[in-house]
Amino acid sequence: MEEYIVRPIGVVRSALKDPADAPKQGALTGQEAEIVVDPAYLPALDGLDRGKGKIIVICWMHRADRGRLKVHPQGREELPERGVFSTRSPHRPNPVSLHTVTLLSIEGSVLHVRGMDAIDGTPVVDIKNHSPELDG
Amino acid sequence: MEEYIVRPIGVVRSALKDPADAPKQGALTGQEAEIVVDPAYLPALDGLDRGKGKIIVICWMHRADRGRLKVHPQGREELPERGVFSTRSPHRPNPVSLHTVTLLSIEGSVLHVRGMDAIDGTPVVDIKNHSPELDG
């Protein structure tokens, strides 16, 4: 099958510096972070702040193991291994991650968000508005 | 910034053959489709059917215009243009799409799903379990 090239549009800036620090499914912890978008994409952010505060940030988990097809869920070795497609593990053939976060503010092309568990330096590949109808 | 290569793990098989046929945000229409996963990834599907029936399918919208930064929401020209990151338009720098669908059954490495608006032939890049806590 044909391959495609992902060109990051921004990067995560966070106090979480290491995967070991990142809470599993840390969306639930309220971690704040910045999404620093390349200013070239500033027009694409227009209207993002008109929603009810939730947006979806899609990252490329650049440290993931793309060859891993089974994992212990939540990294807990006492749980039996399952296929990566039935989990939210970063390890998967195309390590795309979804983060439904709260948009706190936008300054220029920098988004301040809450509920972001990706570590500092993670490439950002897309941003979408969140829709309870489509995503809930 | 560094670039990354997406290698599709499967393809959508659907009665929707053309973007013009695809309902906008057609997750709401109950369209049924097959997600035909490359059998090489069969182990990664293990456990997918243990959930409550909702999964997230991530596709690469291979016909999208990656240079478009603003669009009329839902393709409706009477609505003022907005930045693509504040919409669910397929047109965006990295045309990754999210589809929260109902998993009806799995036969081998073929998933039967309901609520899928991607057209026939769309490359699939990832599958995740849906979590009301993380995604709702």
Side-chain angles (χ1 to χ4, degrees):
Chain A
M1 263 185 288
E2 200 173 341
E3 296 181 339
Y4 303 94
I5 293 176
V6 166
R7 298 181 195 97
I9 55 118
V11 68
V12 175
R13 288 295 164 216
S14 171
L16 297 173
K17 302 295 183 193
D18 193 271
D21 298 337
K24 303 298 173 198
Q25 306 185 336
L28 311 174
T29 66
Q31 178 71 46
E32 292 191 14
E34 289 181 353
I35 310 298
V36 180
V37 176
D38 182 328
Y41 299 106
L42 192 57
L45 295 173
D46 177 54
L48 196 60
D49 54 356
R50 57 177 274 147
K52 295 220 179 63
K54 272 193 183 179
I55 62 172
I56 299 174
V57 178
I58 301 180
C59 296
W60 186 270
M61 299 275 112
H62 60 311
R63 296 193 187 186
D65 177 356
R66 300 183 66 172
R68 189 107 60 101
L69 297 186
K70 290 207 168 194
V71 292
H72 296 285
Q74 295 140 48
R76 293 168 57 191
E77 300 222 340
E78 69 274 23
L79 297 178
E81 284 197 318
R82 276 161 52 190
V84 291
F85 294 153
S86 79
T87 75
R88 298 297 280 253
S89 169
H91 306 301
R92 50 188 61 243
N94 296 294
V96 168
S97 63
L98 304 183
H99 309 270
T100 296
V101 300
T102 301
L103 178 62
L104 301 175
S105 64
I106 304 182
E107 289 173 60
S109 62
V110 177
L111 316 183
H112 298 264
V113 303
R114 179 186 293 138
M116 185 68 188
D117 56 354
I119 61 169
D120 187 66
T122 302
V124 175
V125 301
D126 196 20
I127 300 168
K128 299 181 193 294
N129 72 328
H130 178 270
S131 160
E133 262 186 323
L134 293 176
D135 304 310
Chain B
M1 264 184 287
E2 199 174 343
E3 297 181 339
Y4 302 94
I5 294 176
V6 167
R7 300 180 194 98
I9 56 116
V11 68
V12 175
R13 288 297 163 216
S14 171
L16 297 173
K17 302 294 184 193
D18 193 271
D21 298 337
K24 302 296 172 200
Q25 307 186 334
L28 311 174
T29 68
Q31 178 72 44
E32 292 190 14
E34 289 181 352
I35 309 298
V36 180
V37 176
D38 182 326
Y41 298 106
L42 192 56
L45 295 172
D46 177 55
L48 195 59
D49 54 357
R50 58 177 273 147
K52 295 221 178 60
K54 271 193 182 178
I55 62 172
I56 299 173
V57 178
I58 301 179
C59 294
W60 187 269
M61 300 275 113
H62 59 312
R63 296 193 186 186
D65 177 355
R66 302 183 65 171
R68 190 108 58 100
L69 297 187
K70 290 205 169 199
V71 293
H72 296 285
Q74 297 141 49
R76 293 169 56 191
E77 301 222 341
E78 71 273 23
L79 297 178
E81 284 198 318
R82 277 162 48 190
V84 292
F85 294 153
S86 81
T87 77
R88 298 297 281 250
S89 169
H91 306 301
R92 52 188 62 242
N94 296 293
V96 167
S97 63
L98 304 183
H99 309 271
T100 297
V101 300
T102 301
L103 178 62
L104 301 174
S105 63
I106 305 182
E107 289 173 59
S109 62
V110 178
L111 316 183
H112 299 264
V113 302
R114 179 185 294 137
M116 185 67 189
D117 57 354
I119 62 168
D120 188 66
T122 302
V124 176
V125 302
D126 196 20
I127 300 168
K128 299 182 193 295
N129 71 327
H130 177 271
S131 159
E133 263 188 323
L134 293 175
D135 304 310

